[in-house]
Amino acid sequence: MRKMVNKDQVAGVAKQVKGSVKEAAGKATGNRQTQAEGTADKIAGKVQKAYGDVKEKGKKAL
């Protein structure tokens, strides 16, 4: 059985990856603003993916 994936799930994971890279770059360079932006992107990505997960579960319930 193939698991369905929606655009919010994909975009959320992409934001998490982007945030991780940005956060690591901020840590490596000592740039706290970049690090904080990366952390914020990761959190936003987790929220968006969770929203996508809920949407997908709702579709399956119908």
Side-chain angles (χ1 to χ4, degrees):
M1 188 167 118
R2 197 176 110 196
K3 183 177 179 183
M4 296 298 294
V5 179
N6 63 43
K7 65 181 179 181
D8 288 306
Q9 291 169 314
V10 173
V13 171
K15 271 186 193 170
Q16 288 179 54
V17 171
K18 175 186 163 195
S20 292
V21 170
K22 200 170 188 179
E23 183 179 38
K27 283 181 184 178
T29 61
N31 186 329
R32 289 184 176 205
Q33 182 176 349
T34 300
Q35 185 178 349
E37 288 171 1
T39 302
D41 286 345
K42 277 177 37 178
I43 293 168
K46 287 180 183 182
V47 170
Q48 186 170 8
K49 183 183 178 304
Y51 172 72
D53 292 345
V54 169
K55 269 179 40 177
E56 201 59 45
K57 285 181 184 175
K59 285 181 188 176
K60 288 179 183 178
L62 296 176

